[in-house]
Amino acid sequence: MRLVIAKCSVDYIGRLTAHLPPAIRLIMVKSDGSVLVHSDTGGYKPLMWMTPPCRLEETEGLWRVVNKGGEELQITVEEILHDSAHSLGIDPGLVKDGVEAHLQVLLAAHPQTLGEGYTLVRREYMTAIGPVDLLCKDAQGASVAVEIKRRGEIDGVEQLTRYLELLGRDPLLAPVRGIFAAQEIKPQARVLAEDRGIRCVVLDYNVLRGMVKDELTLF
């Protein structure tokens, strides 16, 4: 991973245009090709970014990051204050707790719990920023991304929002709706999810476990 602290301006050129005026920012270049531009405020979300597959063309004073769709991030570098590279090795990834992992298994076996006619496409559907818990199709054949938590909080909604933004760029999947499923959903998380068009589903772990138990019982 390369970390560059620089005074820079940033322009996005694609389906729309966006501009960040000159300021001191952190530019992060990951080993998978991702390029992210962060400020010192605003939480963990980058101000602008480009996910792989993309290529970085670096010349004196100008970085061009171009993806396969022709979208472009132009970073005009006025002054570099720090530039370092670090090998982080292989990350083992997020390990879910027992209940959360089991909820994912149970919902994958019974996607109709989320809605009549739902079918499973894949568990742990991989994206450039991590795996979506479940990718499903609804009764009309539309794509639905499902994020599963034991306790649903704002961070989980933000995580699902990022997945939806990325999946929505895939013409084979778009449009993609979201479901935030948890045993308990905090009021603030529910408000944020519904404001973003994400449906909330409260899960009953014991009922889901009973569905599997009933299927395995012979009479």
Side-chain angles (χ1 to χ4, degrees), residues 1-4 27-36 56 63:
M1 179 182 294
R2 184 180 177 190
L3 303 174
V4 178
I27 306 169
M28 183 183 299
V29 183
K30 295 188 176 182
S31 61
D32 64 0
S34 303
V35 178
L36 307 93
L56 170 61
W63 293 18

Side-chain angles (χ1 to χ4, degrees), residues 4 57 71 82 110 179:
V4 178
E57 301 172 359
E71 296 173 296
H82 173 86
H110 298 277
I179 291 180

